[in-house]
Amino acid sequence: MARRFGIQGGIIGAAAAAVVSFVVAGALAFTPSGDGSQARADAPETGQQAGRTPAAAKIDPSIVHASDRPGRSLNITIDDGPDPVWTPKALAVLKKYDVKAVFCMIGPQARAHPELVKKVVAAGHKLCDHTMDHNTAMDHRSQSYQSQQILDARKMIEDASGGAEVEYYRAPGGAFTPYSRQLAAAHGMRPLGWNVDSKDFEGGSVATIEATVRGELSNGPTVLFHDGGGNRARTVAALEELLPWMQQQGYGFGFPQR
């Protein structure tokens, strides 16, 4: 659920880059901290689940918004699922308009509904780690807590998918820290932001959701919707109206850059 979003992007310095390389090589440091808001650019922890070996190719730890598709393009992102009622409906609308999206999943939800995770992957969509508990204050928690939230969720999503790659990490409510961004990148996940918040979680009408999205598209390409966390009938109805409208306006659809 989107509540806030603080951009903490930027280019990591030489020392931080060296640390990430050290992590990728397999020598991981465990440095608990009592306050995640003061998280240092230390070597990321492994968490409770080892998961897949971190990607060999270096992933940029800055928060991405840009699309990998040139020209007039949007990235559709859908958070807080998978949900047995709303995820299939969202998938049906996306298929109808031949649009691919990034599904940012909660770890226990993915574990509970592996058939939905597999359907998302089979349809050509991409996976994003949205933590275990959707704690929007996790930037004020210890590094060990952040590590557990991110890496355990990643493992659950990968297992539920049958081994598909989790390519992105989105902090709940935008609660990124330098540590969590580097941890995600060291494990092959690009930190993922948003530019357009549909505010579909606030309970407004379909018309309100549509107006919000149309009014914010000038902010940038990455658009945030939800398929979990409550009744998402309005989200599905808004997607049914917005996707063809976006196409009529000349937009294409891509994925966030890696």
Side-chain angles (χ1 to χ4, degrees), residues 87-88 91 105 113-125 160-161:
T87 301
L91 285 171
M105 297 184 176
H113 305 289
E115 74 287 354
L116 292 179
V117 183
K118 290 180 176 68
K119 284 183 179 179
V120 166
V121 173
H125 306 292
S161 73

Side-chain angles (χ1 to χ4, degrees), residues 120-165:
V120 166
V121 173
H125 306 292
K126 297 200 174 188
L127 300 176
C128 173
D129 178 340
H130 203 36
T131 74
M132 293 289 291
D133 298 322
H134 201 281
N135 181 353
T136 58
M138 66 181 288
D139 53 338
H140 297 290
R141 299 293 298 273
S142 69
Q143 291 179 357
S144 60
Y145 175 86
Q146 295 174 57
S147 178
Q148 178 268 330
Q149 285 285 310
I150 295 167
L151 298 186
D152 285 7
R154 172 179 174 268
K155 177 70 162 54
M156 287 183 185
I157 297 166
E158 283 187 343
D159 288 350
S161 73
E165 184 178 6

Side-chain angles (χ1 to χ4, degrees), residues 151-214:
L151 298 186
D152 285 7
R154 172 179 174 268
K155 177 70 162 54
M156 287 183 185
I157 297 166
E158 283 187 343
D159 288 350
S161 73
E165 184 178 6
V166 180
E167 298 189 35
Y168 304 95
Y169 163 64
R170 173 173 276 165
F176 290 98
T177 65
Y179 173 80
S180 69
R181 290 189 291 104
Q182 291 180 49
L183 176 74
H187 287 80
M189 299 181 291
R190 182 75 188 266
L192 175 59
W194 64 84
N195 305 106
V196 180
D197 183 353
S198 68
K199 295 183 173 61
D200 55 348
F201 60 87
E202 291 188 352
S205 67
V206 174
T208 298
I209 294 170
E210 291 179 38
T212 298
V213 172
R214 290 175 180 175

